[in-house]
Amino acid sequence: RVLLYAAEDALIQSHEKYRSMVEASLDGMMVLVGGRLTYTNHTLLALLGYSEAEWGLLELDDVVESGEGEHQDITFRVVDSET
């Protein structure tokens, strides 16, 4: 049980460290889980002009437009955590 608690604590610390790095980034970042927008950092919210409340109501197609659009000068890169 001690090893389990130590592993859980290490995982929590790792998540907190990662979140701090993402929040401090000058690059806009978002996280998709199962095709749903689950998180974005404040940089991307500012770039796209959304509040956190608005972000929670969006679908990916609302953010990544095909063809011409309001956000056409923003480049999105998909990082697949499965590979």
Side-chain angles (χ1 to χ4, degrees):
R1 287 187 185 228
V2 172
L3 290 177
L4 179 61
Y5 291 130
E8 288 175 351
D9 187 50
L11 183 60
I12 290 169
Q13 288 180 16
S14 174
H15 283 187
E16 290 172 358
K17 180 179 177 182
Y18 179 75
R19 181 177 292 269
S20 295
M21 288 173 36
V22 168
E23 282 301 330
S25 176
L26 298 177
D27 293 324
M29 298 183 193
M30 68 176 135
V31 175
L32 296 144
V33 176
R36 294 195 41 89
L37 303 170
T38 59
Y39 172 79
T40 186
N41 66 353
H42 291 102
T43 302
L44 187 60
L45 288 175
L47 286 170
L48 299 179
Y50 292 112
S51 69
E52 288 186 46
E54 291 170 320
W55 184 261
L57 302 173
L58 298 173
E59 299 290 331
L60 181 59
D61 290 341
D62 297 327
V63 179
V64 181
E65 301 173 2
S66 60
E68 294 184 31
E70 180 181 349
H71 310 302
Q72 66 189 28
D73 59 339
I74 297 174
T75 302
F76 291 91
R77 180 174 56 131
V78 176
V79 178
D80 186 354
S81 63
E82 299 295 320
T83 57

